């Protein structure tokens, strides 16, 4: 007899700098897993649809300014406000895919140079720990050549270099690093092959 937690859905997270292909690959993994009969829900952070998310949206579009500490805490609050729903879905056997998570939270904030890693990690401590983190690695110069780059606050090559360095510093052996400078279908196949081999463990909390 297996504890019900072992029948839960899995939590897959996609991380990386702007325009590395996260949203494209989230959708690809979702449809591949649905194709083999899994129920899958996709979340994007920031979720700009909530009250907190609408402030984040204004900040990213440079319509308002906020202290680095304040915007960091809003990004974190934007994750906490969905945690109960996500836990429920996972326990009901739904697979959850996240387009960005707490790792973006810390890397973008630390890259500003005003906040420490320790300070940035603290407010996300206790959110649900992912079963797998796909890090789509791409050079900011190459990302810059992709469509849609350059309109929002952080979309500056020099800043993206710092963000990428932070991702590379915080990643550990549990991350699956993917070279994102390849054709979309090749990346999707590599991700799917890895995703179906991730085993279920007891649900854990991040950084606890
Ligand atoms: N942020 C933060 O500071 N703190 C936090 O806690 C969180 C986020 C959660 C908004 O994020 C900002 O919020 C973000 C971090 C910060 N920084 N900025 N600016 P977002 O997720 O809403 O937006 P984004 O990451 O800037 O970009 P994006 O548009 O979502 O990029 P993407 O999802 O990684 O890429 P994509 O949409 O899949 O693809 C981009 C383009 O490239 C598109 O035209 C594709 O067709 C093309 N593409 C995709 N794959 C390929 C390949 N393999 N080859 C060639 N072209 C490709
Ligand atoms: Mg995206």
């Amino acid at each position: 007899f297996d504890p019900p937690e072992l029948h839960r859905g899995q939590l897959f997270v996609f991380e990386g700098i702007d325009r590395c292909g996260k949203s494209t690959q989230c959708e690809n993994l979702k449809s591949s897993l649905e194709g083999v009969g899994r129920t899958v829900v996709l979340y994007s952070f920031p979720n700009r649809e909530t009250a907190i998310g609408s402030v984040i949206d204004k900040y990213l579009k440079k319509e308002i300014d906020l202290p680095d500490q304040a915007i960091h805490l809003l990004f974190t609050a934007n994750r906490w406000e969905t945690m109960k729903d996500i836990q429920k879905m996972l326990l009901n056997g739904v697979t959850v895919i996240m387009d960005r998570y707490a790792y973006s939270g810390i890397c973008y904030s630390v890259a500003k140079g005003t906040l420490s890693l320790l300070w940035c990690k603290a407010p996300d401590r206790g959110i649900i720990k992912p079963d797998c983190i796909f890090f789509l690695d791409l050079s900011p110069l190459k990302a810059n050549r992709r469509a849609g780059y350059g309109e929002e606050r952080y979309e500056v090559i020099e800043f993206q270099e710092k963000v990428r360095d932070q991702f590379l510093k915080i990643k550990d052996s549990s991350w699956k690093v993917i070279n994102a400078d390849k054709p979309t279908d090749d990346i999707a196949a590599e991700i799917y092959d890895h995703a179906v081999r991730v085993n279920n463990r007891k649900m854990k909390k991040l950084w606890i």
Side-chain angles (χ1 to χ4, degrees):
F1 176 76
D2 291 335
E5 274 206 299
L6 297 184
H7 297 292
R8 69 179 174 84
Q10 291 170 321
L11 176 58
F12 295 110
V13 166
F14 284 78
E15 285 286 10
I17 62 163
D18 299 345
R19 301 297 187 270
C20 65
K22 298 174 298 297
S23 299
T24 304
Q25 296 303 334
C26 283
E27 291 290 351
N28 281 335
L29 182 61
K30 181 174 189 284
S31 53
S32 304
L33 292 175
E34 283 172 345
V36 293
R38 287 214 216 172
T39 306
V40 185
V41 172
L42 176 55
Y43 275 86
S44 297
F45 291 114
N47 172 6
R48 304 186 194 217
E49 306 305 311
T50 68
I52 293 169
S54 76
V55 180
I56 295 173
D57 185 53
K58 287 196 179 80
Y59 173 84
L60 289 171
K61 289 180 174 151
K62 299 180 218 164
E63 292 167 14
I64 56 167
D65 281 321
L66 287 167
D68 295 340
Q69 292 87 344
I71 186 64
H72 181 79
L73 295 173
L74 288 177
F75 274 115
T76 302
N78 189 232
R79 282 183 282 281
W80 276 108
E81 63 184 343
T82 61
M83 261 330 113
K84 278 249 145 59
D85 290 348
I86 288 164
Q87 184 180 26
K88 211 162 140 191
M89 274 189 272
L90 291 171
L91 290 174
N92 281 330
V94 176
T95 296
V96 178
I97 300 178
M98 302 280 203
D99 191 344
R100 293 193 185 275
Y101 202 46
Y103 312 98
S104 279
I106 59 181
C107 290
Y108 281 78
S109 288
V110 170
K112 293 175 177 177
T114 52
L115 306 171
S116 73
L117 178 63
L118 201 65
W119 193 92
C120 291
K121 273 175 95 166
D124 275 300
R125 194 165 182 258
I127 61 172
I128 302 169
K129 189 177 178 182
D131 293 291
C132 178
I133 298 144
F134 291 107
F135 176 58
L136 303 189
D137 193 26
L138 185 68
S139 84
L141 262 181
K142 286 188 171 150
N144 173 256
R145 292 190 203 119
R146 292 186 178 177
Y149 194 96
E151 286 137 32
E152 290 202 333
R153 187 179 287 267
Y154 297 141
E155 296 180 350
V156 177
I157 292 180
E158 297 71 37
F159 185 71
Q160 293 294 323
E161 294 280 6
K162 291 184 184 155
V163 175
R164 184 190 183 199
D165 289 347
Q166 281 305 321
F167 274 123
L168 295 171
K169 258 188 211 157
I170 66 161
K171 80 173 169 60
D172 61 33
S173 57
S174 72
W175 289 36
K176 177 70 181 165
V177 180
I178 308 273
N179 170 10
D181 187 22
K182 290 192 299 187
T184 302
D185 289 350
D186 293 1
I187 298 171
E190 190 179 345
I191 289 169
Y192 178 75
D193 278 355
H194 189 79
V196 291
R197 280 189 269 121
V198 170
N199 291 321
N200 263 10
R201 296 155 297 160
K202 199 170 179 306
M203 201 184 293
K204 290 198 179 135
K205 292 178 177 177
L206 191 61
W207 299 323
I208 285 182

